[in-house]
Each structure stands twice: as structure tokens, then as C-alpha cells.
């Protein structure tokens, strides 16, 4: 049967992946979108201390992501790792209420370390693991990863909108709601096993299944660190993608709320703005695959880093909340591009059996290194020269990264060691035939 003619909503593997992403990102977004505001406005910590917390988050996540990626590549499409981390996610409400907040006040360094240890295991390293599994499922069972990932953005948007109102009542409401949503995620992962052989045969890609069945050895996993192209990409992400956390999570929330007369108004406005942006992001998740087919993966990535430069730079120039809100919405296409085009670049140019490891190393670990490098210094810079000048410094770093990326990113028909793009497959075959003919 032609899978393209089957409604995507009749694909049980798409529904399962979409629902797991929806629930996970709903649970994460309900508290993560206001984490920096909680640390600064409610707990009263300086930019330098907040930067230290984010640095510790990144340092621990840096190590853990490689472990998670290696385990998931070994597990293939099994969900045992995700079930384990979801158990930890259910404990967020009790942990923040009775351990994390009191410990930060009584012993900041110990509290920051314990909090980063928990958050890294439960959420920060879990997020790309959920994404990596969904991407692997999409290749094996015939659906577009971007359409499943869009539900994650949709869930995050709904949560951010609700959090904007709940946070003004009590921050601890959002922490406990995260625990409740994580229970639903746990139940889904444990009990959604209704696929029968007929459904599997209807949707499965036999070639992809055979390739994935050849589990990578630990030597294969370690071999990714010998690849020159990997380190080129790591440098690119360190000076671009890492600013998602440094700028968007560590700095922008409080910067935006300062435009309003009361913290409650600012928190509500930020929640609404953040949810609108993530709704647009969800829509862009469906558009970016089409853009990649039209102009290619490389050009799409270059557009994404250019948008990042403009967005961060304009935040240092625009001086009113309406203008800042419009600029914030540029984050929607940027996030969708980095989430989908980077993943597609990796599955295009590298062995797809190592997709989880590659995504962890390039898409996530590199970002964590950047956060370790930049979080505390930029937090101190913000304390010294303010938000706007700090934003301009960040934008200059990003434009240098964009220029660097122009020279190091491979074209879509170069070094295709993974799954070719459908749009360029015939071109690749023609190119290969031409090369054979010239030999």
C-alpha cells in the first residue's frame, strides 16, 4: 500500500510519537519557560549566580547526553530509557518545593549542584532523547518527523500560556502540574503497546529496519569523535545554537518583564508571548521540511543562523514592548530550523544507526559546551553593562558563526553517508553516474 495515500492520523506510530512529545514538552514547558524568572524575581539571585546554575546544568548534561545517546542507539526504538527518566520527572514538584529552593538559600553551591544533577537526568538530557527516538520512528514507520515534533511545540505553547497565569498565583503550582503531566507520559510509555503484526507490516520500512537492526558497537559510537566534520559542526553550534539557553532562557524572560509596571503583569505578558511564539514554532515544524526540499538542508541552516543574529541583535536595539514582542516571534522559524534541519543534516551526511549519538554530540552536547563557556561570563557582563549591550555582543558572536558555517557546511549532494534527500536523490544518482563515466 502507498503510505503517502494513507492519512497520517491512521499511522499508530505517528500518533504514539506525537503524543509522547506532546506530553513531555507540556510537562517541561510548564516550568522551564519561567525558570529564570523564578530564580531572579522570586528567589532573588543575581545574573552571575543564575549564570552559574545554568553552567552547572550544562556541565552535567554535557556528560549525560553522550551516555543517553549511546544507550538509545543500543536500544533502537525501545522506550526503557524514557520510562526511567519519566519516573524522575514525576518528582519535580516535591523536589523543587522541599529540597531545591530551601537548599539554594541555605547553601547555594550545594543546592545548585543538586538541582543541576536532577534537572540534567530528568529533563535536559531527556529532551533530545525523546526527539531522537521520534526521529528514528519516523524513518522506520513512514511519517515525517517534523509533523510529530510540531506536537511537542504545541504542548509547550499550551503549557507556557497556562504557566503565565498560574505563576502569578504561585510558582509551585507549575512545578506540581509538571509532575502530574509526567505521570501521563509515564503511563503512555508503559502501556501503549497495541501494535499488531498487520499494522507493523503496513507501515514499516524494511530497508530502514534492516539497517537499524545492525546495532552499532561501542567502537562505532566512539568513532564519531574521529570525524573532522563532527568537530566543525560542534564549533558551529557552540557559537550559535548554545544561545538558545544563554539568551532565550537565562536572559530574555526577565528582560521582557521589565517593560511592565508589576511583576505579575510582566509574567502574564511573557507567558502569552511565549505561547504565541511556540504556536508559530509548531506551525513552522510543518513548513521547514518543505523548505528543505525546495532549497536544501545547507541553505536552510544558514537561514536559521541568520535569523538568530537578527533576532538577538534587534533585542538590543528595539526599545518598546511591542517591538520586542515582534522580534521574539522570529524565534519560531529559527527554532524549527535548528530542530529539524540540523537533525536532517546529520541523517544526510552520517550513518543513521548513530543518529541519537550524533544528535546528542552535535545538536546538544556542543550547545552545552557553549553554555558552559558563555553562561557565567555573559551573566557577569549583563550585571556590568546591562541586557541591551550584552545582546549586541551575543549577536556579533552569532554572525561570526554564520560566516564560519557558510564555509564548513557540506552541500546536500556531498558526502551523503546517511539517508539521501528525496529532492536530491536523482541528482545524486546522476552525479555518481557522471563520476563513474569520467573514470
Amino acid at each position: 500500500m502507498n503510505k503517502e495515500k494513507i492519512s497520517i492520523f491512521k499511522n499508530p506510530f505517528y500518533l504514539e510519537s506525537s503524543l509522547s512529545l506532546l506530553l513531555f514538552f507540556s510537562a517541561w514547558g510548564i516550568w522551564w519557560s519561567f525558570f529564570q524568572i523564578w530564580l531572579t524575581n522570586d528567589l532573588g539571585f543575581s545574573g552571575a549566580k543564575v549564570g552559574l546554575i545554568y553552567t552547572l546544568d550544562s556541565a552535567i548534561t554535557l556528560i549525560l547526553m553522550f551516555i543517553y545517546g549511546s544507550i538509545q542507539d543500543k536500544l533502537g526504538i525501545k522506550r526503557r530509557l524514557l520510562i526511567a527518566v519519566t519516573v524522575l520527572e514525576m518528582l519535580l514538584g516535591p523536589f523543587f518545593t522541599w529540597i531545591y529552593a530551601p537548599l539554594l538559600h541555605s547553601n547555594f553551591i550545594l543546592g545548585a549542584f543538586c538541582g543541576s544533577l536532577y534537572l540534567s537526568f530528568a529533563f535536559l538530557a531527556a529532551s533530545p532523547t525523546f526527539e531522537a527516538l521520534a526521529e528514528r520512528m519516523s524513518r522506520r514507520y513512514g511519517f515525517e518527523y517534523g509533523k510529530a515534533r510540531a506536537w511537542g511545540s504545541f504542548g509547550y505553547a499550551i503549557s507556557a500560556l497556562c504557566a503565565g497565569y498560574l505563576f502569578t498565583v504561585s510558582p509551585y503550582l507549575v512545578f506540581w502540574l509538571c509532575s502530574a503531566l509526567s505521570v501521563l507520559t509515564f503511563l503512555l510509555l508503559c502501556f501503549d503497546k497495541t501494535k499488531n503484526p498487520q499494522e507493523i507490516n503496513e507501515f514499516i520500512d524494511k530497508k530502514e529496519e534492516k539497517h537499524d537492526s545492525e546495532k552499532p558497537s561501542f567502537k562505532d559510537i566512539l568513532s564519531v569523535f574521529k570525524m573532522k566534520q563532527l568537530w566543525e559542526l560542534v564549533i558551529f553550534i557552540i557559537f550559535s545554537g548554545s544561545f538558545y539557553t544563554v539568551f532565550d532562557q537565562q536572559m530574555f524572560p526577565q528582560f521582557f518583564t521589565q517593560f511592565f509596571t508589576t511583576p505579575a503583569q510582566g509574567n502574564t505578558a511573557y507567558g502569552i508571548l511565549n505561547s504565541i511564539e511556540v504556536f508559530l514554532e509548531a506551525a513552522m515544524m510543518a513548513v521547514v521540511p518543505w523548505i528543505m526540499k525546495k532549497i536544501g538542508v545547507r541553505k536552510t541552516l544558514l537561514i536559521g543562523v541568520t535569523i538568530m543574529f537578527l533576532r538577538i541583535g534587534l533585542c538590543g536595539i528595539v526599545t518598546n514592548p511591542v517591538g520586542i514582542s515582534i522580534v521574539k516571534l522570529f524565534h519560531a522559524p529559527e527554532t524549527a530550523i535548528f530542530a529539524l534541519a540540523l537533525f536532517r543534516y546529520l541523517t544526510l551526511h552520517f550513518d543513521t544507526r548513530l543518529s541519537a549519538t550524533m544528535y546528542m554530540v552535535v545538536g546538544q552536547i556542543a550547545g552545552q559546551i557553549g553554555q558552559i563557556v558563555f553562561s557565567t561570563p555573559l551573566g557577569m557582563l549583563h550585571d556590568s553593562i546591562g541586557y541591551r549591550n550584552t545582546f549586541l555582543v551575543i549577536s556579533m558572536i552569532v554572525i561570526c558563526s554564520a560566516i564560519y558555517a557558510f564555509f564548513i557546511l557540506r552541500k546536500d549532494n556531498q558526502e551523503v553517508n546517511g539517508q539521501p534527500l528525496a529532492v536530491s536523490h536523482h541528482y545524486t544518482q546522476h552525479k555518481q553516474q557522471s563520476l563513474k563515466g569520467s573514470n
Side-chain angles (χ1 to χ4, degrees):
M1 184 180 293
N2 188 346
K3 298 183 185 68
E4 295 180 359
K5 293 182 179 180
I6 302 174
S7 169
I8 194 169
F9 291 103
K10 293 182 180 179
N11 185 330
F13 304 96
Y14 164 76
L15 295 175
E16 174 196 311
S17 297
S18 299
L19 187 54
S20 65
L21 290 171
L22 172 70
L23 291 173
F24 170 77
F25 279 97
S26 296
W28 191 21
I30 198 75
W31 69 272
W32 179 246
S33 54
F34 282 86
F35 184 56
Q36 187 257 353
I37 294 176
W38 179 65
L39 291 173
T40 52
N41 292 356
D42 291 82
L43 300 188
F45 295 124
S46 65
K49 283 192 171 182
V50 172
L52 179 60
I53 289 173
Y54 278 93
T55 298
L56 286 171
D57 288 348
S58 300
I60 296 171
T61 305
L62 174 69
I63 300 169
L64 193 58
M65 277 183 173
F66 177 70
I67 297 172
Y68 275 18
S70 301
I71 293 172
Q72 193 58 56
D73 276 334
K74 285 285 189 181
L75 290 174
I77 61 171
K78 295 177 182 177
R79 297 174 288 189
R80 296 169 188 168
L81 176 59
L82 296 185
I83 291 171
V85 298
T86 306
V87 172
L88 293 176
E89 291 161 13
M90 292 188 288
L91 301 175
L92 185 122
F95 177 76
F96 268 53
T97 305
W98 297 316
I99 300 175
Y100 191 32
L103 200 53
L104 283 173
H105 281 303
S106 62
N107 188 328
F108 178 79
I109 297 299
L110 180 60
F113 177 76
C114 291
S116 296
L117 196 65
Y118 168 76
L119 294 179
S120 297
F121 271 92
F123 289 94
L124 303 180
S127 171
T129 311
F130 270 88
E131 293 176 307
L133 177 59
E135 191 278 336
R136 190 183 296 262
M137 292 282 286
S138 72
R139 284 186 282 109
R140 184 178 291 198
Y141 294 110
F143 62 88
E144 203 168 74
Y145 167 65
K147 292 181 179 179
R149 179 59 178 79
W151 286 103
S153 297
F154 179 75
Y156 194 103
I158 294 291
S159 289
L161 181 61
C162 295
Y165 294 96
L166 294 173
F167 194 85
T168 59
V169 178
S170 172
Y172 295 94
L173 284 175
V174 301
F175 302 148
W176 283 91
L177 188 54
C178 168
S179 293
L181 289 168
S182 297
V183 171
L184 297 179
T185 312
F186 175 78
L187 294 174
L188 172 71
L189 294 174
C190 288
F191 299 111
D192 185 21
K193 299 178 181 179
T194 59
K195 284 74 182 177
N196 56 51
Q198 183 179 349
E199 287 179 320
I200 292 173
N201 290 330
E202 184 177 4
F203 293 97
I204 197 166
D205 184 324
K206 296 289 187 181
K207 183 179 178 181
E208 196 66 36
E209 181 192 31
K210 181 180 179 181
H211 184 65
D212 271 355
S213 66
E214 301 169 4
K215 302 299 181 187
S217 66
F218 189 65
K219 183 178 179 181
D220 292 330
I221 292 171
L222 289 179
S223 70
V224 302
F225 293 100
K226 298 179 181 179
M227 300 177 184
K228 177 186 175 184
Q229 189 183 167
L230 174 132
W231 294 109
E232 292 173 342
L233 288 171
V234 164
I235 293 171
F236 167 55
I237 295 299
I238 286 174
F239 292 97
S240 59
S242 60
F243 291 112
Y244 166 73
T245 297
V246 178
F247 172 78
D248 290 283
Q249 298 296 328
Q250 183 180 329
M251 296 185 175
F252 184 83
Q254 190 195 32
F255 166 72
F256 181 77
T257 58
Q258 289 178 346
F259 285 96
F260 299 87
T261 55
T262 67
Q265 289 178 344
N267 292 341
T268 301
Y270 176 71
I272 295 171
L273 174 63
N274 200 36
S275 61
I276 292 172
E277 180 266 307
V278 186
F279 276 124
L280 291 176
E281 177 187 312
M284 288 302 302
M285 290 287 179
V287 175
V288 168
W290 177 83
I291 295 174
M292 287 192 288
K293 289 178 182 178
K294 288 294 182 181
I295 68 173
V297 178
R298 179 179 180 272
K299 290 180 180 178
T300 306
L301 274 172
L302 291 173
I303 290 173
V305 73
T306 303
I307 294 172
M308 177 181 286
F309 157 70
L310 293 172
R311 182 174 64 87
I312 297 175
L314 286 172
C315 282
I317 298 172
V318 178
T319 59
N320 62 82
V322 175
I324 291 292
S325 298
I326 294 172
V327 172
K328 166 67 173 169
L329 297 181
F330 290 174
H331 192 211
E334 173 199 317
T335 301
I337 286 172
F338 270 91
L340 301 184
L342 181 61
F343 223 137
R344 192 63 188 94
Y345 185 92
L346 295 174
T347 58
L348 176 64
H349 295 288
F350 298 92
D351 187 345
T352 56
R353 291 181 306 148
L354 302 170
S355 60
T357 301
M358 290 299 303
Y359 184 60
M360 293 295 185
V361 173
V362 177
Q364 301 297 323
I365 292 177
Q368 301 302 319
I369 293 173
Q371 289 160 37
I372 294 169
V373 172
F374 293 122
S375 286
T376 301
L378 289 176
M380 297 171 66
L381 187 65
H382 149 251
D383 290 341
S384 176
I385 65 175
Y387 279 119
R388 294 189 182 280
N389 290 327
T390 303
F391 294 165
L392 293 176
V393 171
I394 294 174
S395 68
M396 290 300 102
I397 296 172
V398 173
I399 194 60
C400 291
S401 176
I403 295 169
Y404 167 78
F406 180 81
F407 292 101
I408 64 100
L409 290 178
R410 270 51 170 183
K411 294 180 180 179
D412 295 351
N413 61 330
Q414 290 179 321
E415 301 179 30
V416 181
N417 298 313
Q419 185 182 54
L421 281 176
V423 69
S424 61
H425 181 62
H426 296 301
Y427 174 82
T428 304
Q429 286 183 327
H430 175 72
K431 189 74 175 177
Q432 290 172 343
Q433 290 171 359
S434 299
L435 288 172
K436 288 180 182 178
S438 63
N439 289 335

